[in-house]
Amino acid sequence: MVKFEGTGLHTGRPSTVVLKPAPRDTGIVFIRTDRSTIVKAHIGAVVDTAFATTIGYNGTRIKTVEHLLSTLSGIGIDNIIVEVNGPEIPILDGSSTELVSIILDAGISKQGKKRPYIRITKPIILDDGHAEIMAVPYNGRRVTYRIHFKHRIFDMQNLSLDLNEEVFIKEIAPARTFGFLKHVEMLRANGLAKGGSLDNAVVIGDNGILNKTGLRFNDEFVRHKILDLIGDFSLIGYPIYGHIIAERAGHSSHVRFLRKLLSSVNSWEIGRASCRERV
Ligand code: ZN
């Protein structure tokens, strides 16, 4: 069992999360213990994608699940119970570093079963006029992400990586949530970012970042976008073998792409690999 607590980035509400081992074929299952509601982490459970990914069932919601999901996917955990006693997963330092270390400290057990994965066999493309996401056949798991900002210091960032646990832990997990100072008021007016601070997000002002500790990578923002993508894409329930290329994307387009992928049944096939859980 693993336990952590903290404040939600958007709701500003404190919560405690308990991770419990689960038998094979469970998948990632969230339980809102204060509402006695079970929400399976799946694309069909997504109820909101504005500035975070929110899953829910019957009116009970769990906000900002993407960083925890990314961590579980990034270190290869397929089956787990996530109990949370509030409406949002704590943001911690805005990255996945702490989550990786507490889960690895607890240990991960192999469950001795081949688990299914999706292998992309033909290109799948989503282009909504702003965001573009595609998946193309590739012998492995590769992600390319490009972001473009209208900012005089931070304009374009582009990163391509072959994904495995080591790459996730070193290159992706430490990258923090970020936002523009000029958007903070708008977010707060919409009831978001109430728990946001320089301790859990990189804030970009006109003349650079406001955080005195600096950046963890020169291209930390595109790395965090990959962290978010890994979390959102895990909602499909299967690892994807292929090359995912995303440009100007975000939670909403990630989820729209996954729905398109699921319906593009002639563009992928199911294979099988080993299966693990956390203990
Ligand atoms: Zn994020």
Side-chain angles (χ1 to χ4, degrees), residues 98-241:
E98 194 178 334
L99 291 171
V100 166
S101 68
I102 57 177
I103 294 169
L104 291 184
D105 282 352
I108 299 172
S109 80
K110 292 198 174 173
Q111 293 182 307
K113 187 188 173 190
K114 298 284 185 189
R115 74 153 300 176
Y117 61 85
I118 287 176
R119 178 181 297 283
I120 304 294
T121 53
K122 286 184 200 148
I124 303 160
I125 300 169
L126 174 93
D127 184 351
D128 68 4
H130 178 74
E132 187 176 317
I133 305 180
M134 66 176 99
V136 296
Y138 182 74
N139 189 19
R141 300 176 60 206
R142 189 167 182 83
V143 178
T144 295
Y145 215 115
R146 294 185 198 111
I147 51 177
H148 307 258
F149 296 141
K150 291 188 179 97
H151 190 279
R152 64 187 186 84
I153 304 168
F154 305 108
D155 46 7
M156 211 268 274
Q157 293 185 0
N158 180 14
L159 186 64
S160 260
L161 292 167
D162 278 312
L163 286 180
N164 58 48
E165 288 170 38
E166 198 185 337
V167 165
F168 179 81
I169 291 166
K170 275 195 198 154
E171 309 292 342
I172 301 299
R176 289 163 294 173
T177 305
F178 63 92
F180 289 89
L181 182 61
K182 63 184 179 188
H183 294 155
V184 170
E185 259 178 42
M186 179 274 291
L187 285 168
R188 295 227 161 117
N190 285 291
L192 295 166
K194 286 181 186 165
S197 78
L198 294 174
D199 293 328
N200 57 35
V202 179
V203 179
I204 309 166
D206 288 342
N207 298 313
I209 65 161
L210 274 55
N211 308 64
K212 295 220 164 31
T213 48
L215 290 168
R216 294 179 178 176
F217 304 94
N218 286 335
D219 57 354
E220 186 167 356
F221 309 138
V222 74
R223 288 170 192 256
H224 188 79
K225 295 297 283 190
I226 294 176
L227 191 158
D228 281 342
L229 181 144
I230 293 168
D232 288 340
F233 273 51
S234 75
L235 288 164
I236 209 159
Y238 305 98
I240 297 173
Y241 279 71

